[in-house]
Amino acid sequence: MFRAFVPALGPLIGLLIGLLATQPAAAAVVSGVDYPERLTVAGQPLVLNGAGIRYRFVVKVYTAGLYLPAKAATAEQALAMPGAKRLHIQMLRDIDGNTLGRLFTRGMEDNSTRAQFAKAIPGTLQLSELFVAKKNLKAGEHFSVEYRPGTGTQVLVNGQAMGKPIVEPEFFAAMMRIWLGDKPADDTLKDQLLGKPVEAQPGQLN
């Protein structure tokens, strides 16, 4: 009976191997969070450009991954690149939604010219309202900011679209400069999102 049973496992093992092979491979695992190598936004395939951790002093706040149509080594290339894009963030600690909205607004203002920020104000107000309505993001929750050509910027919280797309074309670039601008939220995270090798700072362990 055992000999008859062993050959019967062959097709099952082959099926399991095939299923595993079709699962998206994690190109990066950051503080336990998987960032797949590829995904699709608005029907366009994107590649993981880089991923890392946002630290507040030595405390981990969130992980972030940047997806682009093709690899970019500089902020200028990433911002100027046409097509769909996504920044995905997973929280590693709780944060008040109102506080997060204020931080994003300040980050956009610090990294934009007066004219650039003025054009992004309607979208900034819309984004702030979304996070105020959410009230707080808990550790383990996540959100994405997607640029969808012809539609605008869509914010998703835990995979669900929140509100209508932000139509101003300047808004997505202004928001990306929070992490990729001249005064980024975290210099090390900026390098990580651009795919540059970085050395862990004292107390900053993945």
Side-chain angles (χ1 to χ4, degrees):
M1 181 180 293
F2 180 74
R3 290 181 178 178
F5 179 69
V6 172
L9 290 176
L12 178 59
I13 293 173
L15 177 61
L16 290 173
I17 292 173
L19 287 173
L20 289 172
T22 61
Q23 299 301 308
V29 179
V30 183
S31 197
V33 180
D34 291 343
Y35 284 90
E37 182 179 3
R38 299 180 184 278
L39 51 74
T40 301
V41 169
Q44 181 173 359
L46 304 180
V47 63
L48 179 65
N49 197 71
I53 301 174
R54 165 71 167 111
Y55 282 92
R56 178 70 174 169
F57 301 110
V58 296
V59 177
K60 297 178 181 180
V61 182
Y62 56 74
T63 67
L66 177 63
Y67 289 87
L68 301 172
K71 292 282 189 176
T74 67
E76 291 75 17
Q77 290 175 347
L79 293 171
M81 190 177 296
K85 302 173 186 177
R86 173 192 273 187
L87 182 82
H88 183 79
I89 288 177
Q90 180 149 333
M91 304 307 300
L92 299 177
R93 58 173 296 184
D94 297 354
I95 188 167
D96 176 73
N98 194 28
T99 299
L100 190 62
R102 289 199 306 269
L103 289 173
F104 284 170
T105 299
R106 189 174 68 190
M108 283 188 276
E109 189 171 11
D110 287 346
N111 288 280
S112 300
T113 65
R114 185 171 298 180
Q116 288 171 333
F117 186 68
K119 292 178 180 178
I121 284 177
T124 303
L125 295 175
Q126 188 175 335
L127 179 72
S128 296
E129 290 173 359
L130 291 178
F131 283 113
V132 169
K134 172 63 177 167
K135 295 187 177 178
N136 60 72
L137 282 167
K138 297 185 178 298
E141 291 193 291
H142 56 85
F143 69 92
S144 300
V145 183
E146 294 183 349
Y147 179 69
R148 302 173 179 180
T151 299
T153 302
Q154 180 67 63
V155 179
L156 302 95
V157 178
N158 297 324
Q160 301 296 315
M162 298 290 288
K164 296 180 180 179
I166 298 170
V167 297
E168 289 82 12
E170 298 85 5
F171 176 78
F172 186 82
M175 191 163 188
M176 288 305 96
R177 283 194 291 269
I178 295 173
W179 297 275
L180 301 179
D182 293 333
K183 300 176 182 178
D186 187 309
D187 288 303
T188 299
L189 178 57
K190 175 180 177 178
D191 287 341
Q192 291 172 324
L193 293 176
L194 292 173
K196 298 178 181 178
V198 297
E199 294 183 6
Q201 299 300 312
Q204 297 186 354
L205 301 177
N206 290 352

